[in-house]
Amino acid sequence: MSENKSEALANLSNETRRFDPPAELAESANVKADAYDRASEDREAFWAEAAERLDWGRKWDQVLDWSNPPFAKWFVGGTLNAAVNCVDRHVDAGNGDKVAIHWVGEPADDTRDITYAELKDEVSKAANALTELGVEKGDRVAIYLPMLPETVIAMLACARIGAIHTVVFGGFSSDALASRVTDCDAKVIITSDGGYRRGAPSSLKPAVDEAIEKLGEDSPVQKVLVVRRTGQDVEWNDDLDVWWHDAVDGQSTEHEAEMHDSEHPLYVMYTSGTTGKPKGILHTTGGYLTGTAYTHWSVFDLKDDDVYWCTADVGWVTGHSYLVYGPLANGATQVMYEGTPDAPHKGRWWEIVQQYGVTIFYTAPTAIRTFMKWGDEIPAEYDLTSIRVLGSVGEPINPEAYVWYRSTIGGDKAPVVDTWWQTETGQIMISPLPGVTSGKPGSAMKPLPGIVADVVDDDANSVPDGSGGYLVLREPWPAMLRTLWGDDQRFKDTYWSRWPGLYFAGDGAKKDDDGDIWVLGRVDDVMNVSGHRLSTTEIESALVSHPKVAEAAVVGAADETTGQAVCAFVILKESATDDEGTADDELIQELRQHVAKQIGAIARPRQVMIVPELPKTRSGKIMRRLLKDVAEHRDVGDVTTLADSTVMDLIKDKEGSGSSSED
Ligand code: WTA
């Protein structure tokens, strides 16, 4: 375990603060303590009850088929339509006038309130348009859009007709888009001319054009549907491009929805793994919707009159499960915001909370730490008293950030639910229940009812309370990934091969003396930057693809705001260095930019250090642990397993000589 983790382990034993649920919330909570017992008595019956919260075309014959692990089937034989569950049924129940989405654009006063009835019309029209464009059940549709109502509408329209969407985060580069489009063979891309970011329109369509050009004759894309958001000029290809408003606006609002099989694929979400190639996580319909709807209702204690706001981008799994499918399946009213937290001023989020009376607020520790840095006086200017539950997701929340969040944003009363889950799990797995759990700052506490998580040692033995190890899941759960798109073997190897019968999440964790779980972060070569997963290998490959780079090693170094930051150590080709073997700052900037171009701005290294050698073991494995020491400005640890023990001296010399850049 790294020094960081040992430090975290030592710290948590000193944490004695406890926050009980507010009495009123406990009294009226959707889920009370008995749920844990009921679920452990009969897990399948528990999840079947959760599935009853949805509308089914045909009820299932079997709750779970786990006869061919690790390939699970949930609610076997059942049929349903995700879009009908997220939209139509609320209208049918008489809630058509309820606001589904308070959409807030970044430019001031650019807002749109969309009721469930309006959403139903829009989704139906978009479904008709997709069908007219030739999209059929089972086809893949890539969605590359900013945070617009059309993004949600497009996802639901795909779900409605049984097309499989793959949303690509708008901050990703054209290369990243191209590789995802190829991997899942997407027939259509839905995008926009651009979006607003920090007060200015920024373009998106050119990246799509570039991706398609790059794919050339191999491009599977037959149509590009373009939402007009900013009105900026775009290049137009009459064979491919279609305006969203031309294709959708004239369509009928009637659309007969087919009931799809419970295991029909709903979407593919690409995420970083330990190798360079992103993994296409496949989620299916019945189990996923059951898992997300139930956890959204239980973990946030959702009530009819709540105003919920999840700040995640739809391009990540949090946006899928807790902005689109969970909340809409529950008929919630929510806020969706297009822009950044500091546009046009640093109080924008709190202004929105005040304006819409947000009651449940879900964000990431990196955002919380940023607000802490900006100062208490900013949120103090707004009325945040409507907030009654706060959520955190994406990375471990440090106790200080938790306590600040609870007191400054939550008025010292709102419980904080620290929710642990992953793209792969689809649904929240470990979290306090706000009406039941006495919260500990920094701990995700216990697996939710119906979830069996554990912390094990190298031999898969459950560790005793007070010890650390690897976080695993012992039993299948409804929203679990079904496989990796087109790669069953990689699915088995990645998650199920370390210990037979256990799903290994890739995280380290500790059980405290009460048996509560503290997630410590990744134990593999996956970094967590601002709550976003990046693979060290993926960034290394991007660096090595630069003509001047011979070799690269990337580590995630501790960063006060982003949790971890990308730090790269690069060996240049001889032709790229001057006589002294140094490189200029310009090249370093070029390398940082190169990574941003290859993957996306979030992957741009905070720091690039040009070094003469990399520390390697005798078998040639790069010792990232030592590089991490350098990046975190620590004394370098044990070097005895290095093939050449002088290498670290050379690297440390370089650190002092200015061949690095940090901003
Ligand atoms: C980390 C995001 C500690 C963890 C939903 C996990 C967390 C990875 C927490 C998944 C949390 C997420 N406490 N760590 N509450 N939530 N993580 O796939 O390392 O983008 O494996 O899903 O984020 O990231 P992903």
Side-chain angles (χ1 to χ4, degrees):
M1 214 168 259
S2 75
E3 277 164 45
N4 252 359
K5 299 225 166 81
S6 329
E7 201 180 310
L9 281 179
N11 282 345
L12 71 87
S13 55
N14 300 327
E15 182 57 65
T16 54
R17 290 171 285 191
R18 297 286 178 277
F19 297 104
D20 291 336
E24 207 182 315
L25 200 159
E27 182 81 9
S28 64
N30 288 347
V31 178
K32 301 199 171 153
D34 64 293
Y36 292 101
D37 294 336
R38 279 194 297 114
S40 57
E41 266 159 35
D42 189 342
R43 256 174 10 89
E44 289 187 20
F46 174 84
W47 285 119
E49 190 188 311
E52 298 281 4
R53 300 169 42 76
L54 303 176
D55 282 2
W56 295 79
R58 180 182 186 280
K59 201 177 158 173
W60 57 88
D61 306 312
Q62 190 185 359
V63 175
L64 167 68
D65 176 358
W66 191 232
S67 59
N68 180 29
F71 302 97
K73 289 187 183 143
W74 280 87
F75 309 112
V76 186
T79 64
L80 76 170
N81 186 295
V84 168
N85 272 282
C86 288
V87 186
D88 303 37
R89 66 172 181 147
H90 308 310
V91 180
D92 295 343
N95 294 322
D97 292 338
K98 185 172 179 179
V99 172
I101 300 175
H102 291 293
W103 181 78
V104 183
E106 200 192 78
D109 302 326
D110 186 4
T111 61
R112 228 176 118 182
D113 285 346
I114 302 161
T115 64
Y116 274 97
E118 286 164 344
L119 190 59
K120 175 170 181 268
D121 288 351
E122 293 305 319
V123 171
S124 299
K125 278 161 41 184
N128 284 324
L130 288 176
T131 304
E132 200 174 283
L133 288 175
V135 179
E136 290 172 15
K137 180 169 177 171
D139 285 346
R140 274 77 61 204
V141 173
I143 299 178
Y144 186 60
L145 278 168
M147 291 281 279
L148 303 176
E150 285 80 4
T151 316
V152 178
I153 293 164
M155 290 165 75
L156 292 171
C158 287
R160 193 170 183 101
I161 63 174
I164 306 163
H165 60 69
T166 186
V167 181
V168 179
F169 174 54
F172 276 139
S173 66
S174 60
D175 285 306
L177 175 64
S179 72
R180 285 155 174 79
V181 162
T182 309
D183 191 72
C184 73
D185 224 1
K187 200 174 188 177
V188 167
I189 301 179
I190 308 180
T191 188
S192 67
D193 49 359
Y196 287 95
R197 233 180 138 67
R198 298 216 161 82
S202 77
S203 65
L204 204 56
K205 170 86 168 31
V208 176
D209 298 342
E210 240 177 83
I212 289 175
E213 196 183 309
K214 220 164 286 169
L215 295 174
E217 290 197 345
D218 297 332
S219 169
V221 179
Q222 295 171 12
K223 286 289 167 211
V224 177
L225 201 50
V226 188
V227 175
R228 180 141 67 200
R229 166 64 185 136
T230 60
Q232 65 202 114
D233 282 342
V234 287
E235 300 264 333
W236 205 255
N237 175 343
D238 285 327
D239 295 334
L240 272 182
D241 300 337
V242 184
W243 284 111
W244 172 278
H245 53 262
D246 287 341
V248 175
D249 286 2
Q251 296 287 345
S252 159
T253 55
E254 296 299 315
H255 180 271
E256 176 99 29
E258 179 187 339
M259 294 294 138
H260 304 296
D261 190 272
S262 175
E263 282 299 332
H264 183 67
L266 183 62
Y267 70 82
V268 177
M269 166 106 251
Y270 286 87
T271 188
S272 294
T274 52
T275 70
K277 189 171 175 274
K279 301 177 287 196
I281 308 293
L282 178 71
H283 284 293
T284 60
T285 309
Y288 176 78
L289 213 57
T290 299
T292 53
Y294 173 77
T295 50
H296 178 257
W297 174 78
S298 58
V299 171
F300 299 108
D301 191 45
L302 181 82
K303 298 288 200 279
D304 235 11
D305 54 356
D306 271 315
V307 180
Y308 165 84
W309 183 13
C310 166
T311 66
D313 192 282
V314 203
W316 308 107
V317 75
T318 307
H320 282 55
S321 297
Y322 297 105
L323 192 153
V324 180
Y325 291 106
L328 295 177
N330 288 330
T333 292
Q334 67 176 321
V335 168
M336 177 178 187
Y337 173 53
E338 178 186 33
T340 53
D342 54 353
H345 57 81
K346 292 188 169 124
R348 186 74 197 268
W349 278 14
W350 316 125
E351 187 178 69
I352 294 171
V353 167
Q354 171 178 294
Q355 188 175 352
Y356 290 96
V358 170
T359 56
I360 304 171
F361 184 72
Y362 192 27
T363 195
T366 182
I368 299 168
R369 289 191 298 266
T370 302
F371 291 122
M372 284 173 76
K373 212 164 57 186
W374 287 348
D376 294 9
E377 58 286 1
I378 297 174
E381 280 175 43
Y382 302 91
D383 179 3
L384 307 180
T385 50
S386 54
I387 290 181
R388 61 179 203 92
V389 177
L390 291 169
S392 169
V393 63
E395 53 176 313
I397 179 165
N398 35 313
E400 287 333 301
Y402 176 114
V403 170
W404 182 89
Y405 192 33
R406 192 190 138 88
S407 72
T408 312
I409 307 302
D412 258 330
K413 63 173 197 336
V416 175
V417 288
D418 173 13
T419 63
W420 177 85
W421 60 293
Q422 310 178 291
T423 305
E424 291 87 344
T425 69
Q427 65 180 80
I428 297 172
M429 304 294 281
I430 307 178
S431 168
L433 283 174
V436 178
T437 316
S438 229
K440 300 175 184 175
S443 172
M445 305 300 289
K446 290 204 187 318
L448 288 175
I451 299 299
V452 189
D454 199 359
V455 181
V456 300
D457 65 17
D458 283 315
D459 302 319
N461 302 310
S462 183
V463 303
D465 290 350
S467 315
Y470 306 97
L471 185 57
V472 297
L473 300 166
R474 290 192 176 278
E475 297 291 343
W477 62 100
M480 68 194 284
L481 77 166
R482 298 301 194 260
T483 188
L484 296 179
W485 183 257
D487 203 343
D488 286 347
Q489 191 56 44
R490 190 175 174 203
F491 168 60
K492 290 194 212 168
D493 294 346
T494 309
Y495 305 103
W496 303 92
S497 65
R498 187 138 173 188
W499 301 288
L502 295 184
Y503 170 92
F504 173 43
D507 282 310
K510 172 173 170 161
K511 290 185 205 162
D512 68 15
D513 293 336
D514 304 322
D516 292 323
I517 293 176
W518 299 65
V519 181
L520 304 172
R522 306 292 306 194
V523 293
D524 52 15
D525 290 335
V526 175
M527 290 173 288
N528 190 326
V529 178
S530 297
H532 299 142
R533 279 163 67 170
L534 294 169
S535 122
T536 53
T537 325
E538 199 178 352
I539 300 177
E540 286 164 5
S541 308
L543 283 164
V544 174
S545 75
H546 189 282
K548 291 184 180 161
V549 173
E551 211 178 340
V554 165
V555 297
D559 184 280
E560 222 176 86
T561 307
T562 59
Q564 286 191 316
V566 180
C567 290
F569 295 80
V570 169
I571 303 179
L572 294 178
K573 289 185 180 153
E574 265 177 35
S575 54
T577 51
D578 62 23
D579 294 344
E580 275 110 53
T582 57
D584 55 9
D585 194 50
E586 209 172 300
L587 176 59
I588 286 169
Q589 296 312 334
E590 188 180 314
L591 294 177
R592 294 177 66 224
Q593 196 43 38
H594 180 71
V595 175
K597 172 103 184 54
Q598 294 274 309
I599 302 172
I602 44 163
R604 180 188 289 124
R606 179 186 74 182
Q607 186 180 10
V608 173
M609 235 184 266
I610 306 289
V611 294
E613 288 294 342
L614 289 170
K616 290 188 184 154
T617 61
R618 283 169 200 95
S619 63
K621 195 170 154 25
I622 294 173
M623 292 192 69
R624 291 201 177 73
R625 173 173 63 79
L626 299 178
L627 295 173
K628 211 165 151 143
D629 288 339
V630 174
E632 293 177 347
H633 311 293
R634 257 195 314 273
D635 285 344
V636 172
D638 184 8
V639 296
T640 50
T641 50
L642 279 182
D644 173 0
S645 63
T646 61
V647 167
M648 288 316 293
D649 296 331
L650 288 173
I651 292 177
K652 280 187 299 173
D653 280 354
K654 281 287 164 189
E655 196 204 1
S657 76
S659 277
S660 88
S661 156
E662 197 161 341
D663 64 10

